[in-house]
Amino acid sequence: MFKAWKKLKYGARVLLSRGGGQPETVDIAGRSTVVMSGGDGPPFVYLHSSLGETFTWFPFYQTWAKEFRVLVPTHPGFGQSGGFDQIDTIEDMAFHYVELFDALGLEEVILGGVSLGGWIAAEFAIRWPERVKKLWICNAPGLWVDEEPLPDLFTIVHDRDKVRERMFHDPASAMATMVIQEKADEQKMLAAYQAMTVLARLVWERPYDPKLAQRLRRVQCPVLLLWSANDRVVPPSYGEAYRKHLPQAEWKLIPECGHLPMFEREAEFVAAISAFARDK
């Protein structure tokens, strides 16, 4: 009963937030890119994970929109964004985003993302450091830690229980069963397979960039490394690896949290990023 109530409560928050994000489609060299935006203030760009959390304006976007101009683009190949045939690598994603920022007139942004989005943000920042006012990276791959190789998510994609166990600290929670549904409808399953197809194309050869570590020294802006203490997909040791090459970075752990803190520990996740992103 309590789990059902928590699902209803979050569903109500999503409905109340929907009016905040206005989608538009921007053509980038033939790639139709969907961008949701809302709020006023310094431009704040959120790059999503492979979960594809851009199909609606979630409550955490709405909270940030009270202080920032929040922009949430959908990566090529995900959702309704096109251009999948032009994207082979994470570097291609980074170049896609510099072209998108040019098209939107964004000279300098607060940039960050979760998981895949955090890796793309890092790759963008090492190439165009002058375009990034502040950088936050959460639970992101991109580097490699020999002692803790990343798990192969493609082997468990059909087992919803195993996916929840990987993604959440508490896989039996209301949020875990709502995000990774036991019986998702056909549209959601197709979106999930589409996302995994894009991810496979990006990481099949290797799930990291062997040159990223040596290039992180190019990042000169303030950095927040935000990690989930119980991430079973990209463990905190990967955050420590980023920290080694970003000595200016602020390091913060979210306790009792798995790979998707924007859902499992929303309040702590939003508060940490908001405090970092504000002008000081």
Side-chain angles (χ1 to χ4, degrees), residues 4 9 29 47 66 103 122 154 162-163 165 171 173 199 240 246 279:
K9 185 178 179 182
L47 301 182
K66 295 175 182 177
F154 299 102
K162 288 184 178 179
V163 171
E165 288 170 5
S173 68
L199 183 64
E240 294 284 4
L246 292 166
D279 286 325

Side-chain angles (χ1 to χ4, degrees), residues 20 29 56 82 84 152 158 168 197 203 212 222:
T56 194
F84 176 53
D152 185 353
H158 298 289
F168 286 87
T197 300
V203 305
L212 177 58

Side-chain angles (χ1 to χ4, degrees), residues 19-187:
Q22 299 302 317
E24 64 174 312
T25 301
V26 182
D27 183 86
I28 307 296
R31 298 184 298 274
S32 58
T33 303
V34 179
V35 183
M36 290 191 297
S37 62
D40 293 304
F44 176 109
V45 178
Y46 176 93
L47 301 182
H48 66 82
S49 72
S50 57
L51 184 68
E53 62 277 13
T54 59
F55 55 87
T56 194
W57 188 254
F58 283 104
F60 56 93
Y61 300 143
Q62 185 64 16
T63 302
W64 284 326
K66 295 175 182 177
E67 300 184 69
F68 309 100
R69 178 191 173 198
V70 179
L71 298 108
V72 184
T74 299
H75 305 322
F78 285 81
Q80 299 302 310
S81 285
F84 176 53
D85 58 321
Q86 300 178 38
I87 303 294
D88 296 312
T89 65
I90 292 291
E91 183 178 44
D92 291 340
M93 282 286 194
F95 274 93
H96 167 77
Y97 278 112
V98 77
E99 292 183 316
L100 177 64
F101 293 175
D102 287 346
L104 295 175
L106 299 172
E107 292 296 325
E108 185 182 57
V109 301
I110 300 164
L111 180 65
V114 176
S115 191
L116 173 64
W119 181 6
I120 297 170
E123 295 282 357
F124 183 98
I126 63 173
R127 288 168 174 80
W128 301 280
E130 72 282 358
R131 305 288 293 267
V132 184
K133 182 178 181 181
K134 293 186 178 183
L135 173 68
W136 62 270
I137 299 171
C138 180
N139 297 348
L143 302 179
W144 188 255
V145 177
D146 286 331
E147 294 76 17
E148 288 192 273
L150 297 175
D152 185 353
L153 297 180
F154 299 102
T155 62
I156 64 169
V157 67
H158 298 289
D159 190 322
R160 313 301 280 176
D161 289 333
K162 288 184 178 179
V163 171
R164 279 191 292 271
E165 288 170 5
R166 276 288 178 186
M167 294 290 181
F168 286 87
H169 170 62
D170 181 2
S173 68
M175 186 58 71
T177 55
M178 184 163 55
V179 174
I180 310 296
Q181 297 176 359
E182 191 61 43
K183 295 181 179 179
D185 60 37
E186 184 178 357
Q187 183 178 357

Side-chain angles (χ1 to χ4, degrees), residues 126 143-144 211-220 223 225 238-249:
I126 63 173
L143 302 179
W144 188 255
K211 295 183 179 180
L212 177 58
Q214 68 193 50
R215 291 174 174 169
L216 285 171
R217 59 183 171 77
R218 290 177 47 79
V219 178
Q220 300 300 315
V223 179
L225 296 173
Y238 282 77
E240 294 284 4
Y242 271 101
R243 193 179 182 188
K244 178 181 176 182
H245 299 284
L246 292 166
Q248 78 274 33

